């Protein structure tokens, strides 16, 4: 199988020997079935992606600006997932058992308890997040530019906690 890009549209499948795939601004992809052999995939501003089925075993995933994406179903057995500017996602629970999760500028990320088994959590510029108590089981928590968080006291047992520019913190 091969992947052909013409005029910003994707057609066909991908070679089983391909390990890393970076697509930016590529339309035409709606189905990611057949991508499970990849080691790393980056999907940036790909306007037609509405499903992540087929990526469950890809170790490293970066999603950015996927405006039609409303669900993370299809993920969960990955090692590292980075989600940025995917504003229509509100259920992050499929990432519950991913080892490392980074959530950046996602308006729908309001419930940290959906990541309660993630070892390394990074959250940046998620203004809808107020309560971080769901992250108390993490080993590493990094919080940055989260304007609604008012306390991190519940994270006192986290091995490594890094907090910066969270303006409402009182402790």
């Amino acid at each position: 199988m091969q992947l052909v890009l013409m005029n910003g549209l994707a057609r066909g499948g991908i070679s089983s020997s391909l390990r890393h795939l970076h697509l930016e601004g590529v339309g035409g992809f709606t189905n990611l079935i057949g991508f499970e052999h990849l080691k790393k995939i980056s999907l940036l501003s790909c306007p037609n992606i509405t499903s992540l089925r087929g990526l469950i075993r890809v170790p490293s995933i970066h999603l950015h600006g996927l405006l039609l994406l409303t669900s993370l179903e299809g993920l969960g057995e990955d090692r590292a997932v980075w989600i940025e500017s995917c504003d229509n996602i509100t259920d992050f629970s499929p990432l519950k058992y991913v080892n490392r999760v980074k959530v950046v500028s996602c308006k729908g990320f309001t419930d940290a308890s959906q990541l309660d088994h993630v070892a390394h959590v990074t959250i940046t510029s998620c203004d809808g997040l107020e309560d971080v108590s769901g992250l108390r089981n993490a080993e590493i928590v990094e919080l940055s530019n989260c304007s609604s968080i008012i306390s991190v006291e519940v994270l006192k047992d986290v091995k490594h906690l890094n907090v910066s520019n969270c303006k409402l913190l009182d402790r």
Side-chain angles (χ1 to χ4, degrees):
M1 293 219 256
Q2 66 177 353
L3 175 67
V4 179
L5 301 176
M6 297 178 63
N7 299 323
L9 295 174
R11 299 282 182 250
I14 58 173
S15 167
S16 60
S17 63
L18 185 64
R19 295 293 176 240
H20 297 219
L21 180 63
H22 176 94
L23 297 175
E24 186 168 351
V26 177
F29 273 109
T30 57
N31 181 346
L32 300 170
I33 303 298
F35 285 52
E36 55 275 341
H37 67 279
L38 293 172
K39 298 295 180 198
K40 181 177 184 178
I41 187 167
S42 297
L43 302 170
L44 287 67
S45 301
C46 295
N48 299 350
I49 293 178
T50 58
S51 172
L52 300 175
R53 287 194 175 114
L55 300 183
I56 195 162
R57 289 186 179 88
V58 176
S60 179
I61 296 173
H62 180 195
L63 309 173
H64 181 278
L66 303 182
L67 302 179
L68 294 181
L69 190 64
T70 60
S71 172
L72 295 174
E73 186 177 337
L75 301 184
E77 293 180 23
D78 322 281
R79 286 190 303 227
V81 176
W82 175 4
I83 301 172
E84 184 173 2
S85 300
C86 294
D87 291 340
N88 292 317
I89 299 169
T90 57
D91 180 8
F92 288 77
S93 63
L95 306 180
K96 183 181 235 57
Y97 297 104
V98 172
N99 186 53
R100 183 180 185 124
V101 173
K102 183 174 186 176
V103 181
V104 179
S105 297
C106 291
K107 292 178 183 176
F109 185 71
T110 60
D111 184 4
S113 69
Q114 296 178 19
L115 303 179
D116 65 346
H117 289 88
V118 177
H120 185 160
V121 180
T122 301
I123 301 170
T124 304
S125 301
C126 292
D127 296 335
L129 181 64
E130 297 176 10
D131 179 11
V132 294
S133 61
L135 303 177
R136 75 183 93 198
N137 295 324
E139 294 177 26
I140 300 170
V141 175
E142 299 175 69
L143 303 169
S144 176
N145 297 311
C146 297
S147 63
S148 299
I149 296 173
I150 58 173
S151 175
V152 293
E153 186 176 343
V154 294
L155 301 179
K156 64 182 182 278
D157 295 326
V158 170
K159 291 179 183 176
H160 179 86
L161 177 62
N162 185 359
V163 180
S164 63
N165 296 319
C166 296
K167 309 242 184 273
L168 292 182
L169 279 178
D170 59 4
R171 304 168 203 222

